Amino acid sequence: MPRDPLSLPARLCLLAWDPARPGAADTARVHHLVRAGALVELVRRGLLRDDDGVATPADLDSETGDPVLDGLLELVRESLPHGWRPWVALHARVTFDAVREQLVAEGCLRAEKKRVLGVFPSVEYALARRDTAQALDGRVREVLAGQAPAGEVPERDAAVAVLAAAAELGCAGGPGGAGEQGTVNGPGAARGPGGAVDAGARRRDRIAELAGRAAPAPALRGVLDEVCGAVSDETAHTKAPTGG
């Protein structure tokens, strides 16, 4: 996967970008996914901690130097205490918009000014670096396919893959994804006739292994589990059939 300057939320936003439908990324599901990535990134950097299920700033002064992460950190500091799942959704559009502008600044996306009905100014965003997006997509597929033991996967790559699976992105969709299990802590491998482990169970086990790699500390694992559950819930809500 590309290294710096792309943060975890930036990678997730780029992964969700469909060049055939640029506006498809601007949805609650992707907003929640990007916010979840930002929360995990802040915990990984030691700037947010879990205090009995509540997202809590480690101190009042530290910053990352990343305006997206620092903006979220400031929001958490100035808001009433909330658990991790509420924070995945609370003002998530703000984080998504900030990440999208960051990707424009990095040259990964291109902002194109338009006029709606020839009168009202608008901005459309298009993928500018297809190679970067394709590299991210390919790497997530490799990680989830188990081409290397989970212990050899870089922690951030593992986190990207687990979160992408929770949102059932195209690169991470498939049987047994986090959308089916609700959290990254899926059940043990189910066996079919003859004792063969089915594909869905293998995938759930792989996601659980990657979650352990992405969050080796129990506190971080709990946070990852919570935010993935929130993303999975939104994904299931998005895909649920509507009555008519």
Side-chain angles (χ1 to χ4, degrees):
M1 278 188 185
R3 303 299 169 189
D4 292 339
L6 291 185
S7 66
L8 181 53
R11 294 177 190 212
L12 291 166
C13 185
L14 198 57
L15 272 172
W17 212 270
D18 183 349
R21 298 185 303 135
D26 193 358
T27 64
R29 177 172 66 113
V30 178
H31 299 170
H32 291 189
L33 172 64
V34 171
R35 168 60 67 77
L39 289 168
V40 170
E41 187 74 75
L42 285 170
V43 176
R44 280 170 41 85
R45 297 190 187 199
L47 296 178
L48 280 183
R49 59 183 174 82
D50 180 72
D51 186 3
D52 197 22
V54 174
T56 305
D59 58 58
L60 298 178
D61 301 312
S62 297
E63 294 183 343
T64 67
D66 182 316
V68 173
L69 299 176
D70 290 338
L72 176 55
L73 192 57
E74 182 179 2
L75 180 62
V76 176
R77 285 171 176 156
E78 294 179 350
S79 302
L80 294 172
H82 294 288
W84 297 100
R85 286 189 179 226
W87 268 122
V88 169
L90 190 63
H91 306 303
R93 175 65 182 267
V94 173
T95 299
F96 171 80
D97 286 346
V99 169
R100 186 173 58 184
E101 293 306 317
Q102 191 177 61
L103 288 171
V104 171
E106 294 294 340
C108 295
L109 296 179
R110 181 174 60 254
E112 301 175 342
K113 293 183 179 180
K114 305 283 186 179
R115 286 192 176 274
V116 179
L117 301 177
V119 178
F120 304 104
S122 179
V123 178
E124 292 183 359
Y125 296 86
L127 188 63
R129 289 177 56 184
R130 188 180 295 265
D131 57 338
T132 299
Q134 289 175 337
L136 281 165
D137 184 282
R139 179 56 175 158
V140 169
R141 292 178 188 274
E142 290 176 2
V143 168
L144 287 170
Q147 295 189 11
E152 296 179 6
V153 176
E155 290 182 12
R156 183 174 286 179
D157 287 11
V160 170
V162 170
L163 285 160
E168 298 183 21
L169 297 186
C171 59
E180 292 184 16
Q181 65 198 56
T183 70
V184 294
N185 287 318
R191 295 183 177 272
V197 180
D198 66 50
R202 285 198 301 270
R203 185 174 177 84
R204 287 191 293 271
D205 286 348
R206 177 62 175 177
I207 292 171
E209 291 174 356
L210 291 170
R213 176 60 176 164
L220 178 53
R221 177 62 183 268
V223 171
L224 183 61
D225 202 29
E226 284 292 295
V227 300
C228 281
V231 173
S232 293
D233 288 348
E234 177 59 29
T235 299
H237 172 74
T238 301
K239 293 190 172 186
T242 57

Short mmCIF file of all heavy atoms in Angstrom, two decimals, residues 20 28 35 41 45 61-62 76 83-84 91 93 95 99 103 131 135 159 164 173 175 200 215-216 229 238:
data_model
loop_
_atom_site.label_atom_id
_atom_site.label_comp_id
_atom_site.label_asym_id
_atom_site.label_seq_id
_atom_site.Cartn_x
_atom_site.Cartn_y
_atom_site.Cartn_z
N ALA A 20 -16.38 5.31 -11.78
CA ALA A 20 -17.56 5.31 -12.67
C ALA A 20 -18.72 6.09 -12.06
O ALA A 20 -19.60 6.57 -12.77
CB ALA A 20 -17.99 3.88 -12.97
N ALA A 28 -23.61 8.19 3.71
CA ALA A 28 -23.43 7.99 5.16
C ALA A 28 -22.51 6.80 5.43
O ALA A 28 -21.69 6.84 6.36
CB ALA A 28 -24.78 7.78 5.83
N ARG A 35 -14.74 8.20 9.23
CA ARG A 35 -14.66 8.60 10.63
C ARG A 35 -14.09 7.47 11.49
O ARG A 35 -13.27 7.70 12.39
CB ARG A 35 -16.04 9.01 11.13
CG ARG A 35 -16.16 9.19 12.65
CD ARG A 35 -15.22 10.25 13.22
NE ARG A 35 -15.54 11.58 12.80
CZ ARG A 35 -16.54 12.32 13.29
NH1 ARG A 35 -17.34 11.82 14.22
NH2 ARG A 35 -16.73 13.55 12.84
N GLU A 41 -7.03 5.67 13.98
CA GLU A 41 -5.72 6.31 13.81
C GLU A 41 -5.32 7.09 15.06
O GLU A 41 -4.17 7.03 15.51
CB GLU A 41 -5.74 7.24 12.60
CG GLU A 41 -4.39 7.83 12.22
CD GLU A 41 -3.47 6.83 11.55
OE1 GLU A 41 -3.68 6.51 10.36
OE2 GLU A 41 -2.53 6.38 12.23
N ARG A 45 -2.16 6.31 17.62
CA ARG A 45 -1.13 7.30 17.92
C ARG A 45 -1.11 7.72 19.39
O ARG A 45 -0.31 8.57 19.78
CB ARG A 45 -1.34 8.54 17.04
CG ARG A 45 -1.20 8.25 15.56
CD ARG A 45 -1.17 9.52 14.74
NE ARG A 45 -1.20 9.26 13.32
CZ ARG A 45 -0.82 10.14 12.38
NH1 ARG A 45 -0.38 11.33 12.75
NH2 ARG A 45 -0.89 9.84 11.11
N ASP A 61 -3.45 18.92 24.90
CA ASP A 61 -2.53 19.73 24.09
C ASP A 61 -1.96 19.04 22.87
O ASP A 61 -1.60 19.70 21.90
CB ASP A 61 -1.36 20.22 24.97
CG ASP A 61 -1.83 21.04 26.15
OD1 ASP A 61 -2.65 21.95 25.93
OD2 ASP A 61 -1.38 20.77 27.28
N SER A 62 -1.82 17.73 22.89
CA SER A 62 -1.11 17.04 21.81
C SER A 62 -1.83 17.16 20.48
O SER A 62 -3.06 17.22 20.42
CB SER A 62 -0.93 15.56 22.16
OG SER A 62 -0.14 15.41 23.31
N VAL A 76 -13.68 16.05 19.70
CA VAL A 76 -13.88 15.16 20.84
C VAL A 76 -13.63 15.90 22.15
O VAL A 76 -14.37 15.75 23.13
CB VAL A 76 -12.97 13.93 20.74
CG1 VAL A 76 -13.09 13.05 21.98
CG2 VAL A 76 -13.32 13.10 19.49
N GLY A 83 -19.53 7.29 23.55
CA GLY A 83 -18.88 6.02 23.25
C GLY A 83 -18.37 6.00 21.82
O GLY A 83 -18.61 6.91 21.03
N TRP A 84 -17.70 4.92 21.47
CA TRP A 84 -17.07 4.83 20.15
C TRP A 84 -18.09 4.74 19.03
O TRP A 84 -17.93 5.36 17.98
CB TRP A 84 -16.12 3.63 20.11
CG TRP A 84 -15.02 3.78 21.09
CD1 TRP A 84 -14.93 3.21 22.34
CD2 TRP A 84 -13.85 4.61 20.96
NE1 TRP A 84 -13.78 3.62 22.97
CE2 TRP A 84 -13.10 4.47 22.15
CE3 TRP A 84 -13.37 5.44 19.95
CZ2 TRP A 84 -11.89 5.14 22.35
CZ3 TRP A 84 -12.18 6.11 20.15
CH2 TRP A 84 -11.45 5.96 21.33
N HIS A 91 -21.50 13.90 13.37
CA HIS A 91 -20.84 14.88 12.49
C HIS A 91 -19.80 14.21 11.59
O HIS A 91 -18.77 14.81 11.26
CB HIS A 91 -20.17 15.99 13.30
CG HIS A 91 -21.08 16.67 14.27
ND1 HIS A 91 -22.26 17.28 13.88
CD2 HIS A 91 -21.00 16.84 15.62
CE1 HIS A 91 -22.86 17.80 14.94
NE2 HIS A 91 -22.12 17.54 16.01
N ARG A 93 -19.81 13.62 8.51
CA ARG A 93 -19.64 14.31 7.22
C ARG A 93 -18.50 15.33 7.29
O ARG A 93 -17.79 15.57 6.30
CB ARG A 93 -20.95 15.01 6.85
CG ARG A 93 -20.89 15.87 5.58
CD ARG A 93 -20.62 14.99 4.37
NE ARG A 93 -20.50 15.76 3.16
CZ ARG A 93 -21.52 16.01 2.33
NH1 ARG A 93 -22.73 15.56 2.63
NH2 ARG A 93 -21.33 16.68 1.23
N THR A 95 -15.64 15.07 8.91
CA THR A 95 -14.38 14.36 8.70
C THR A 95 -14.23 13.92 7.25
O THR A 95 -13.15 14.04 6.65
CB THR A 95 -14.28 13.15 9.64
OG1 THR A 95 -14.33 13.60 11.00
CG2 THR A 95 -12.97 12.40 9.43
N VAL A 99 -11.20 15.01 4.73
CA VAL A 99 -10.35 14.02 4.08
C VAL A 99 -10.40 14.19 2.56
O VAL A 99 -9.37 14.10 1.88
CB VAL A 99 -10.78 12.59 4.47
CG1 VAL A 99 -10.09 11.55 3.60
CG2 VAL A 99 -10.45 12.33 5.93
N LEU A 103 -7.27 14.81 0.07
CA LEU A 103 -6.93 14.01 -1.10
C LEU A 103 -6.79 14.88 -2.35
O LEU A 103 -5.99 14.58 -3.24
CB LEU A 103 -7.99 12.93 -1.32
CG LEU A 103 -7.97 11.79 -0.31
CD1 LEU A 103 -9.20 10.90 -0.48
CD2 LEU A 103 -6.69 10.96 -0.47
N ASP A 131 -3.84 5.02 -10.40
CA ASP A 131 -2.85 4.03 -10.02
C ASP A 131 -2.77 3.87 -8.50
O ASP A 131 -2.63 2.76 -7.99
CB ASP A 131 -1.47 4.39 -10.58
CG ASP A 131 -0.99 5.77 -10.14
OD1 ASP A 131 -1.84 6.62 -9.76
OD2 ASP A 131 0.23 6.01 -10.17
N ALA A 135 -3.70 0.48 -6.53
CA ALA A 135 -2.72 -0.16 -5.65
C ALA A 135 -3.33 -0.45 -4.28
O ALA A 135 -3.12 -1.52 -3.69
CB ALA A 135 -1.49 0.72 -5.51
N ALA A 159 -5.40 -2.90 9.45
CA ALA A 159 -6.52 -2.05 9.87
C ALA A 159 -7.35 -1.60 8.68
O ALA A 159 -8.59 -1.60 8.74
CB ALA A 159 -6.00 -0.83 10.64
N ALA A 164 -12.32 -1.89 5.73
CA ALA A 164 -12.92 -2.00 4.40
C ALA A 164 -13.90 -3.16 4.35
O ALA A 164 -14.96 -3.08 3.73
CB ALA A 164 -11.83 -2.19 3.35
N GLY A 173 -15.58 -7.01 -0.37
CA GLY A 173 -16.85 -7.70 -0.25
C GLY A 173 -16.69 -9.19 -0.42
O GLY A 173 -15.68 -9.69 -0.90
N PRO A 175 -18.39 -13.35 0.97
CA PRO A 175 -19.04 -14.09 2.04
C PRO A 175 -18.24 -14.01 3.32
O PRO A 175 -17.01 -14.05 3.31
CB PRO A 175 -19.07 -15.54 1.51
CG PRO A 175 -17.95 -15.59 0.51
CD PRO A 175 -17.91 -14.24 -0.11
N GLY A 200 -17.03 -18.72 3.86
CA GLY A 200 -17.41 -17.63 4.74
C GLY A 200 -16.71 -17.71 6.08
O GLY A 200 -16.25 -16.71 6.62
N ALA A 215 -4.71 -4.46 15.89
CA ALA A 215 -4.92 -3.95 17.25
C ALA A 215 -4.36 -4.95 18.25
O ALA A 215 -5.13 -5.67 18.90
CB ALA A 215 -6.40 -3.69 17.49
N PRO A 216 -3.05 -5.02 18.39
CA PRO A 216 -2.46 -6.03 19.29
C PRO A 216 -2.78 -5.78 20.77
O PRO A 216 -2.82 -6.71 21.55
CB PRO A 216 -0.95 -5.92 19.01
CG PRO A 216 -0.76 -4.56 18.41
CD PRO A 216 -2.01 -4.27 17.66
N GLY A 229 -18.22 -2.49 14.17
CA GLY A 229 -19.63 -2.82 14.37
C GLY A 229 -20.53 -1.69 13.92
O GLY A 229 -21.58 -1.93 13.29
N THR A 238 -27.95 0.41 4.92
CA THR A 238 -27.92 0.92 3.54
C THR A 238 -28.41 -0.12 2.55
O THR A 238 -29.10 0.20 1.58
CB THR A 238 -26.49 1.37 3.17
OG1 THR A 238 -26.07 2.40 4.08
CG2 THR A 238 -26.43 1.89 1.75
#
